[in-house]
Amino acid sequence: MTETTWKEKAAAKREALLSLIPPEWRLPTPLPPPAELPNVTGEEIRRHLSTQEILITESSAVGIVGKTSSGEWKCEDVVRAFCHRAAVAHQMINCLHEIFFDAAIKHAKILDAHFAKHGRLLGPLHGLPVSLKDTIHVAGVDTSMGIVGWLGTFEGAPLAETTSRPESTIVTHLRALGTIPYVKTSVPQGSFAGETINHIIGHTPNPANRNLVVGGSSGGEGGLLALYGSPIGLGTDIGGSIRVPASFNGCYGLKPSTGRLPFQGIASIVDGQAAIPFVVGPMGHSVGDLVFLTKALLAVEPWRSDPGVHELPWRDEVFESVRGRFRGKGERLAFGVMRSDGVVNPQPPVARALREVVQLLKSLGHTVIEWNPPPHAEALTIWRENILIDGGHAFHSALTLSGEPATPTVFGSKPSDPVDGTEVMRRTIALRDYRKAYLDYWNSTAALTGTGKPVDALIAPVHHGPPPAMGRVRYMGYTCAFNVLDYSVSVIPVTWARKDVDVYPSDYLPLNRMDSVVQNDYDAELLDGAPVGLQIVGQRLQEETVLGLSEEISRELARVQVARL
Amino acid sequence: MTETTWKEKAAAKREALLSLIPPEWRLPTPLPPPAELPNVTGEEIRRHLSTQEILITESSAVGIVGKTSSGEWKCEDVVRAFCHRAAVAHQMINCLHEIFFDAAIKHAKILDAHFAKHGRLLGPLHGLPVSLKDTIHVAGVDTSMGIVGWLGTFEGAPLAETTSRPESTIVTHLRALGTIPYVKTSVPQGSFAGETINHIIGHTPNPANRNLVVGGSSGGEGGLLALYGSPIGLGTDIGGSIRVPASFNGCYGLKPSTGRLPFQGIASIVDGQAAIPFVVGPMGHSVGDLVFLTKALLAVEPWRSDPGVHELPWRDEVFESVRGRFRGKGERLAFGVMRSDGVVNPQPPVARALREVVQLLKSLGHTVIEWNPPPHAEALTIWRENILIDGGHAFHSALTLSGEPATPTVFGSKPSDPVDGTEVMRRTIALRDYRKAYLDYWNSTAALTGTGKPVDALIAPVHHGPPPAMGRVRYMGYTCAFNVLDYSVSVIPVTWARKDVDVYPSDYLPLNRMDSVVQNDYDAELLDGAPVGLQIVGQRLQEETVLGLSEEISRELARVQVARL
């Protein structure tokens, strides 16, 4: 395929996507450039919507299901509102890869008809629209994953027109729950970068400031959520792909440990790389919504259909116990705080976010200790060494299908030789040994917490900074390390960059060359107002603990912030 | 190192081992050859022991702990009895690699002194001797794993005399429970074969018929148990290494799924091969004893010290519920029965064992359906392809340390090229797809059971035959397939080969060349009386279910067998 044809193919898809947006949902005039109109959230998007559409789309997932379940809202109205808002969002930030409004509305009508006729719900999440990252397969819908050569194929394999493309298992569960998928959201080329850019839909900028990136790889999901074009969505994460866009867009995300939620049948450009597996998890507007979807998915008993899922139902007693302790019922809690991973220091807004949360936790009587784990630099080496044992062969073969070049920000943009089996085994051992050393370190904090027990969770940066300008994500070590460890991690929004207070100290001494580059990247003026989140980190399979703590910390943060106003 | 020196080194170890047996425990005269005295179990070994020693060593693990906990038996007497019996067993069948009687007796004295002084137990399994397969590291004790070059090293790495060798995590737990390790049992060279032969201690024959093999790789463990030289032990399994020796020695074994019991720090010749992981599990004289040790190990919360263990406590309600259903309380059970894996048919005694169990289950009102899963031949290919991604490099490097040749029956006796990362990924995908297809098949049996639910468990051969003569294990497909699936499997003894009834039908048509070889291997005269076990197979992480069913089936089998007498 010549260069022209991959460009043509990409352009055709881009146009086909836009053509799926009904004329009445098109923006009347093109948006001004980002320099003139950086922020398209809030009133900027609301003015394209009716009052009722705003009311619906700014409701929580829990609230929506309450209304659809009582019959107060029709599923069709709910889905139409989200389709409309997502359509506008896409025109603002290129955040969609696939649009299937018609199927979704048809689906909603069936739910409504069933409810009207039988007075019964079709699943506990009756009528809840759910957006999906483009790595997740939906029957009858393309999965390009930002790769031109994958368009009109099944993961690059030619598609006989009669062949049905298998749906990801989690989508089957979502349907059984009564939810309504309606869009698939944009990802970087191959879904393998921290910035969402590909040759099909171009760049997905940050809706809060279109001069900044949306993050990746679940970037479209993050941007769509920031614009309230979705009540809740699913992302995937192998190095920070749920957490970075959650942080960059002021929303919440859960990266569960492997084996908690079903990854069966989700696309991956490193498919078959098993040492550091991809996981799927929810992204949304509140911890309550993440809990809502996670509990619902576990209630389906996903281990019955995905052999990779452990039989581990939602443990409400763990969730409630940690919440109770946060509020002072029972033993006080102990937290670790990671001020720096020793490779790249957090930029001032992130350092302040950490200070604010630590202050909050201490003010509530909880213990916070400094975190000095086995070097995270080692975790990053282990991550890099395990993630591309094929030297990027699968990724570059996928590009070859159309002839498109690699985008500059993609991970593994230059192919290398695959490593041999002996080396694969050595790398797996290094990973296992690091996990053991980290667990031993975690246990050793029992001597420091004053409770006689190790810390309950760790507070850590998601990224070294707020969303930067394009090409400056550079480093994802703060998230990668917890993929190496396979820990359960949630992300909560904590604050916004403030040019007045968030400045490097005048005597700041960079840790190293990379840290110096990151320091120079920091533009207080440009980043002013950009969201900053933090990671709440638990050990492996501790989703209930991190969600419980996230819920409590978020509520207290909101209380403090309101009190300040 | 020249050939002489590896032979010398092996001989020196062999002698050193024997020298650890006190003179009063030495056999007064050499044993007659196997042809004259095939069976050394029962009275043959008992006559070397006192009545009290026989009473102690033929007690269950549960019974022993009952007596040591009440103070009726001293731990020292218990340990001495097992040391004595194990010493005799070793002189009969070469079943030990390491003897640490002195340390064990010292340990027992400490427990006794503590109990005498404080009236308290040092752990819930106070004073229970536990034998360990040689792959498990014990502080201050060698781990050769049947490799000459590993003697006096830590997994082949030179050992500074001051360096402490890390103990396997499960041993730390065993000590915390109050158990007393006292021997490590023999394995094939590299612990990677179905027959227990190595250049250090030679061959471990089957104690019930020394003309037959003991199985492998936990062969010494199986043989020691058959001679009641241990109340309970730990084996490891990646292709049948717990199950085959359990079946060949008329004892019980549990191969748990990955992540249930801590494998951290156990030696493996395919260390770093993560697709089909080794697991550790108990082997013993009854299901009750397996449950006893498994529950105790889970009560230690092993996930707190091994990052590979899932937080999944013992689920007594599952264990009791399946037992109740077996006895007619609640829904009846449904079983699959695998009469053949389509590669090698079971020899007549195994076919009869299946028929007897099926008849029993049906007589109790349970449903049994024929098992037609995704081809097991495919599972075997996947097993072979994933297990040696280094082409056997680690194994052959270990042999090179001393210059010893590979033993003929070892798996991967000829090295090949390591495969590359792309191929590793392809093989991992094949494994995952097979697991999914198998799970789908399992679920599909809901249409056949008449209960509307899939089968609760599968009954399958452990091996195509009873223990054969040396060099004739040939095929371990019946066990390997369930390592590919990572299923929970227990082995129960079912019957013994009977030359009068167990004959191939005169019109028997071999499936293929291998099946024909296996048919020719079958020597009804030689194998008469040899033990035959079966696998009780559950899905992943269903240890409670398979143990519950094993307990019930074993009890009913005993009842039927007694009734027949």
Side-chain angles (χ1 to χ4, degrees), chain A residues 372-419:
Chain A
N372 297 300
H376 274 225
E378 201 181 313
L380 305 188
T381 303
I382 290 167
W383 190 87
R384 274 193 302 266
E385 286 196 345
N386 278 283
I387 210 90
L388 280 182
I389 57 173
D390 75 339
H393 174 81
F395 174 63
H396 290 278
S397 297
L399 298 189
T400 307
L401 291 173
S402 74
E404 68 175 317
T407 55
T409 51
V410 85
F411 184 75
S413 59
K414 292 199 184 82
S416 57
D417 286 336
V419 298

Coordinates of all heavy atoms in Angstrom, one line a residue, chain A residues 372-419:
Chain A
N372 N 10.1 4.6 51.1 CA 11.4 4.3 50.6 C 11.6 2.9 50.1 O 12.3 2.0 50.7 CB 12.5 4.5 51.7 CG 12.5 6.0 52.2 OD1 12.7 6.9 51.4 ND2 12.2 6.2 53.5
P373 N 10.9 2.6 49.0 CA 10.8 1.2 48.5 C 12.0 0.8 47.7 O 12.9 1.6 47.5 CB 9.6 1.3 47.6 CG 9.7 2.6 47.0 CD 10.2 3.5 48.1
P374 N 12.1 -0.5 47.3 CA 13.1 -0.9 46.4 C 13.0 0.1 45.2 O 11.9 0.5 44.8 CB 12.6 -2.3 46.0 CG 11.8 -2.8 47.1 CD 11.1 -1.6 47.7
P375 N 14.2 0.5 44.6 CA 14.2 1.5 43.7 C 13.2 1.4 42.5 O 13.1 0.4 41.9 CB 15.7 1.4 43.1 CG 16.4 0.7 44.1 CD 15.5 -0.1 44.9
H376 N 12.4 2.5 42.3 CA 11.5 2.4 41.2 C 12.2 2.4 39.9 O 11.6 2.0 38.9 CB 10.5 3.6 41.3 CG 9.3 3.2 42.2 ND1 8.0 3.5 41.9 CD2 9.2 2.6 43.4 CE1 7.2 3.1 42.8 NE2 7.9 2.6 43.8
A377 N 13.4 2.9 39.8 CA 14.2 2.9 38.6 C 14.3 1.4 38.1 O 14.2 1.1 36.9 CB 15.6 3.5 38.8
E378 N 14.4 0.5 39.1 CA 14.5 -0.9 38.7 C 13.2 -1.4 38.2 O 13.2 -2.2 37.2 CB 14.9 -1.6 40.0 CG 15.5 -3.0 39.8 CD 15.8 -3.7 41.1 OE1 16.4 -3.1 42.0 OE2 15.4 -4.9 41.3
A379 N 12.1 -0.9 38.7 CA 10.8 -1.3 38.2 C 10.6 -0.9 36.8 O 10.1 -1.6 36.0 CB 9.7 -0.7 39.1
L380 N 11.2 0.3 36.5 CA 11.0 0.8 35.1 C 11.8 -0.1 34.1 O 11.4 -0.4 33.0 CB 11.5 2.2 35.0 CG 10.8 3.2 36.0 CD1 11.1 4.6 35.7 CD2 9.2 3.0 35.9
T381 N 13.0 -0.4 34.5 CA 13.8 -1.3 33.7 C 13.0 -2.6 33.5 O 13.0 -3.1 32.3 CB 15.2 -1.6 34.4 OG1 15.8 -0.4 34.6 CG2 16.0 -2.5 33.5
I382 N 12.5 -3.2 34.5 CA 11.8 -4.4 34.4 C 10.6 -4.3 33.5 O 10.3 -5.1 32.7 CB 11.3 -4.9 35.8 CG1 12.6 -5.4 36.6 CG2 10.3 -6.0 35.8 CD1 12.3 -5.5 38.1
W383 N 9.9 -3.1 33.6 CA 8.7 -2.9 32.8 C 9.1 -2.9 31.3 O 8.6 -3.6 30.5 CB 8.1 -1.5 33.1 CG 6.8 -1.3 32.5 CD1 5.5 -1.6 33.0 CD2 6.5 -0.6 31.2 NE1 4.6 -1.2 32.1 CE2 5.1 -0.6 31.0 CE3 7.3 0.0 30.3 CZ2 4.5 0.0 29.9 CZ3 6.8 0.6 29.2 CH2 5.4 0.5 29.0
R384 N 10.2 -2.1 31.0 CA 10.6 -2.0 29.6 C 11.1 -3.3 29.1 O 10.8 -3.7 27.9 CB 11.8 -1.0 29.5 CG 11.4 0.5 29.3 CD 12.5 1.3 28.9 NE 13.6 1.3 29.9 CZ 13.8 2.1 30.9 NH1 12.9 3.1 31.1 NH2 14.8 2.0 31.8
E385 N 11.8 -4.1 29.9 CA 12.4 -5.3 29.5 C 11.3 -6.4 29.2 O 11.6 -7.3 28.4 CB 13.4 -5.8 30.5 CG 14.7 -5.1 30.5 CD 15.8 -5.8 31.2 OE1 15.5 -6.7 32.0 OE2 17.0 -5.4 31.0
N386 N 10.2 -6.3 30.0 CA 9.2 -7.4 29.8 C 8.1 -7.1 28.8 O 7.5 -8.0 28.3 CB 8.6 -7.7 31.2 CG 9.4 -8.6 32.0 OD1 9.4 -9.8 31.8 ND2 10.1 -8.0 33.0
I387 N 8.0 -5.8 28.5 CA 6.8 -5.4 27.8 C 7.0 -5.7 26.3 O 6.0 -6.0 25.6 CB 6.5 -3.9 28.0 CG1 5.0 -3.6 27.9 CG2 7.3 -2.9 27.2 CD1 4.3 -3.8 29.1
L388 N 8.2 -5.6 25.8 CA 8.4 -5.7 24.4 C 9.4 -6.9 24.1 O 10.4 -6.7 23.4 CB 8.9 -4.4 23.8 CG 7.9 -3.4 23.5 CD1 8.5 -2.1 22.8 CD2 6.7 -3.9 22.6
I389 N 9.0 -8.1 24.5 CA 10.0 -9.2 24.3 C 10.0 -9.6 22.8 O 10.9 -10.2 22.4 CB 9.6 -10.5 25.1 CG1 8.1 -10.9 24.9 CG2 9.8 -10.2 26.6 CD1 7.8 -12.2 25.5
D390 N 9.0 -9.0 22.1 CA 9.1 -9.3 20.6 C 9.8 -8.1 19.9 O 9.7 -8.1 18.6 CB 7.7 -9.5 20.1 CG 6.8 -8.2 20.0 OD1 7.2 -7.2 20.7 OD2 5.9 -8.2 19.2
G391 N 10.4 -7.2 20.6 CA 11.1 -6.1 20.0 C 10.1 -5.2 19.2 O 10.6 -4.4 18.4
G392 N 8.8 -5.3 19.6 CA 7.9 -4.4 18.9 C 7.4 -5.0 17.6 O 6.8 -4.3 16.8
H393 N 7.7 -6.3 17.3 CA 7.4 -6.9 16.0 C 5.9 -6.8 15.7 O 5.6 -6.4 14.6 CB 7.9 -8.3 16.1 CG 7.5 -9.1 14.9 ND1 8.2 -9.1 13.7 CD2 6.5 -10.0 14.7 CE1 7.6 -9.9 12.8 NE2 6.6 -10.4 13.4
A394 N 5.1 -7.1 16.7 CA 3.6 -7.1 16.4 C 3.2 -5.7 16.0 O 2.4 -5.6 15.1 CB 2.9 -7.6 17.7
F395 N 3.7 -4.7 16.8 CA 3.3 -3.4 16.5 C 3.7 -2.9 15.1 O 2.9 -2.4 14.3 CB 3.9 -2.4 17.5 CG 3.6 -1.0 17.3 CD1 2.4 -0.4 17.2 CD2 4.7 -0.1 17.0 CE1 2.2 0.9 17.0 CE2 4.5 1.2 16.8 CZ 3.2 1.8 16.8
H396 N 4.9 -3.2 14.7 CA 5.4 -2.7 13.4 C 4.8 -3.6 12.3 O 4.6 -3.0 11.2 CB 7.0 -2.7 13.4 CG 7.5 -1.6 14.3 ND1 7.6 -0.3 13.9 CD2 7.9 -1.6 15.6 CE1 8.0 0.5 14.9 NE2 8.2 -0.3 16.0
S397 N 4.5 -4.8 12.5 CA 3.8 -5.6 11.5 C 2.4 -5.0 11.2 O 2.0 -4.9 10.1 CB 3.6 -7.0 12.0 OG 4.8 -7.7 12.2
A398 N 1.8 -4.5 12.3 CA 0.5 -3.9 12.2 C 0.6 -2.6 11.3 O -0.3 -2.3 10.5 CB -0.1 -3.6 13.5
L399 N 1.7 -1.9 11.6 CA 1.8 -0.6 10.7 C 2.1 -1.0 9.3 O 1.6 -0.3 8.4 CB 3.0 0.2 11.3 CG 2.9 0.7 12.7 CD1 4.1 1.7 13.0 CD2 1.6 1.4 13.0
T400 N 2.8 -2.1 9.1 CA 3.1 -2.5 7.7 C 1.9 -2.8 6.9 O 1.9 -2.7 5.7 CB 4.1 -3.7 7.8 OG1 5.2 -3.4 8.6 CG2 4.6 -4.1 6.4
L401 N 0.8 -3.2 7.5 CA -0.4 -3.5 6.8 C -0.8 -2.4 5.9 O -1.4 -2.6 4.8 CB -1.5 -3.9 7.8 CG -1.4 -5.2 8.6 CD1 -2.5 -5.3 9.7 CD2 -1.4 -6.4 7.7
S402 N -0.6 -1.2 6.4 CA -1.1 0.0 5.6 C 0.1 0.8 5.1 O 0.0 1.6 4.1 CB -1.9 0.9 6.4 OG -1.1 1.7 7.3
G403 N 1.3 0.6 5.7 CA 2.4 1.4 5.3 C 2.6 2.7 6.1 O 3.5 3.5 5.9
E404 N 1.7 2.9 7.1 CA 1.8 4.2 7.8 C 3.1 4.1 8.7 O 3.5 3.0 9.1 CB 0.6 4.4 8.7 CG 0.5 3.4 9.9 CD -0.7 3.7 10.8 OE1 -0.9 4.8 11.2 OE2 -1.4 2.7 11.2
P405 N 3.7 5.3 8.9 CA 4.9 5.3 9.8 C 4.4 5.3 11.3 O 3.3 5.5 11.6 CB 5.6 6.6 9.5 CG 4.4 7.5 9.0 CD 3.4 6.6 8.4
A406 N 5.4 5.0 12.2 CA 5.1 5.1 13.6 C 4.9 6.6 14.0 O 5.7 7.4 13.5 CB 6.2 4.4 14.4
T407 N 4.0 6.9 14.9 CA 3.9 8.2 15.4 C 5.1 8.4 16.4 O 5.5 7.5 17.0 CB 2.6 8.5 16.1 OG1 2.4 7.5 17.1 CG2 1.4 8.4 15.1
P408 N 5.6 9.7 16.5 CA 6.8 9.9 17.3 C 6.7 9.5 18.8 O 7.6 9.1 19.4 CB 7.1 11.3 17.1 CG 6.3 11.8 16.0 CD 5.1 10.9 15.9
T409 N 5.5 9.7 19.3 CA 5.4 9.5 20.8 C 5.0 8.1 21.2 O 4.9 7.9 22.4 CB 4.3 10.5 21.3 OG1 3.1 10.3 20.6 CG2 4.7 11.9 21.3
V410 N 4.9 7.2 20.3 CA 4.5 5.9 20.6 C 5.6 5.1 21.3 O 6.8 5.4 21.0 CB 4.0 5.1 19.4 CG1 5.1 4.5 18.6 CG2 2.9 4.1 19.7
F411 N 5.3 4.2 22.2 CA 6.3 3.4 22.9 C 6.9 2.4 21.9 O 6.1 1.7 21.3 CB 5.8 2.8 24.1 CG 6.8 2.1 24.9 CD1 7.7 2.8 25.7 CD2 6.9 0.7 24.9 CE1 8.7 2.1 26.4 CE2 7.9 0.0 25.6 CZ 8.8 0.7 26.4
G412 N 8.2 2.3 21.8 CA 8.8 1.3 20.9 C 8.6 1.7 19.5 O 8.3 0.9 18.6
S413 N 8.9 3.0 19.2 CA 8.6 3.5 17.8 C 9.7 2.9 16.8 O 9.4 2.9 15.6 CB 8.6 5.0 17.8 OG 9.9 5.5 18.3
K414 N 10.8 2.4 17.4 CA 11.8 1.8 16.5 C 11.8 0.3 16.9 O 12.0 0.0 18.0 CB 13.2 2.4 16.7 CG 13.2 3.8 16.2 CD 14.7 4.2 15.9 CE 14.8 5.7 15.5 NZ 14.7 6.6 16.6
P415 N 11.7 -0.6 15.9 CA 11.7 -2.0 16.2 C 13.1 -2.5 16.6 O 14.1 -1.9 16.2 CB 11.2 -2.7 14.9 CG 11.5 -1.7 13.8 CD 11.5 -0.4 14.4
S416 N 13.1 -3.5 17.4 CA 14.4 -4.1 17.8 C 14.3 -5.6 17.6 O 13.2 -6.1 17.3 CB 14.8 -3.7 19.2 OG 13.8 -4.1 20.1
D417 N 15.4 -6.4 17.9 CA 15.3 -7.8 17.7 C 14.5 -8.4 18.9 O 14.6 -7.9 20.0 CB 16.7 -8.4 17.7 CG 17.4 -8.2 16.4 OD1 16.7 -8.0 15.4 OD2 18.6 -8.2 16.4
P418 N 13.7 -9.4 18.6 CA 13.0 -10.1 19.7 C 14.1 -10.7 20.6 O 15.1 -11.1 20.1 CB 12.2 -11.2 19.0 CG 12.2 -10.9 17.6 CD 13.3 -10.0 17.3
V419 N 13.8 -10.9 21.9 CA 14.8 -11.5 22.7 C 14.5 -13.0 22.8 O 13.4 -13.5 22.3 CB 14.7 -11.0 24.2 CG1 15.1 -9.5 24.2 CG2 13.3 -11.2 24.8

